[in-house]
Amino acid sequence: DSGVTQTPKHLITATGQRVTLRCSPRSGDLSVYWYQQSLDQGLQFLIHYYNGEERAKGNILERFSAQQFPDLHSELNLSSLELGDSALYFCASSPRPSTDTQYFGPGTRLTVL
Amino acid sequence: GQQLNQSPQSMFIQEGEDVSMNCTSSSIFNTWLWYKQDPGEGPVLLIALYKAGELTSNGRLTAQFGITRKDSFLNISASIPSDVGIYFCAVASNDYKLSFGAGTTVTVRA
């Protein structure tokens, strides 16, 4: 158990819908990272927040957005969903911006029908 | 898209065997990482490498950071059933983004 929690574990929705994925980082961690894992694209970095502020963006679609709240939990919002958005979405956290201390959560499996 | 070429894509190994996988890049990176992902879980960091030529061990795992800073390999010695999983190499950029290889799926024959 990494100490990072993600909800929900599974999510099934329809094309065109909007969903919110939630991440609670490990106690004391100020950095939160979101990754997408799909069969065709592999594991890809989406976005990084540190203490409420966006620090870096990866290949994140404009239909996707994220935020980190004062209590440090983070949400990833996916809108106008397409079939190709079906994937595992992972959140990771670290005490501060880091490459070697990112602890990954168990992921949310999103299925778009 | 993927910057890293990881091979092999999959492997079947006999329990007790030593195995190796590697990762190459067309670009130079200053940090190489190896992760393992078990079914239904997120990736877990196995080994981090920071210096060209560095050889680092973690139990039965050994990884090396290539001299050119464009490659790395991971060895697993004396394979056991719990070594099953997907192994990923990753590189880190200056803004803390991780870029992952496509993964090597390891299956152990008992």
Side-chain angles (χ1 to χ4, degrees), chain A residues 4-11 19-25 34 73-76 89-91 105-109:
Chain A
V4 177
T5 60
Q6 290 187 247
T7 57
K9 192 167 177 62
H10 301 278
L11 193 50
V19 297
T20 298
L21 312 183
R22 183 187 170 103
C23 168
S24 292
W34 286 96
H73 90 272
S74 178
E75 292 180 355
L76 180 67
Y89 290 85
F90 289 104
C91 164
T108 292
R109 181 174 291 281

Side-chain angles (χ1 to χ4, degrees), chain A residues 67-106:
Chain A
Q67 57 185 134
Q68 186 179 26
F69 294 86
D71 68 353
L72 302 176
H73 90 272
S74 178
E75 292 180 355
L76 180 67
N77 301 297
L78 315 176
S79 62
S80 303
L81 285 168
E82 302 174 0
L83 295 178
D85 297 328
S86 296
L88 269 168
Y89 290 85
F90 289 104
C91 164
S93 75
S94 63
R96 65 197 67 76
S98 167
T99 53
D100 62 357
T101 55
Q102 292 187 26
Y103 295 89
F104 282 76

Side-chain angles (χ1 to χ4, degrees), chain B residues 72-85:
Chain B
S72 176
F73 71 75
L74 175 71
N75 284 342
I76 306 172
S77 63
S79 307
I80 60 177
S82 64
D83 290 333
V84 163

Side-chain angles (χ1 to χ4, degrees), chain B residues 50-68:
Chain B
Y50 305 100
K51 190 175 173 184
E54 178 183 358
L55 188 71
T56 298
S57 292
N58 178 6
R60 293 178 296 104
L61 305 175
T62 302
Q64 184 156 29
F65 189 156
I67 289 289
T68 65

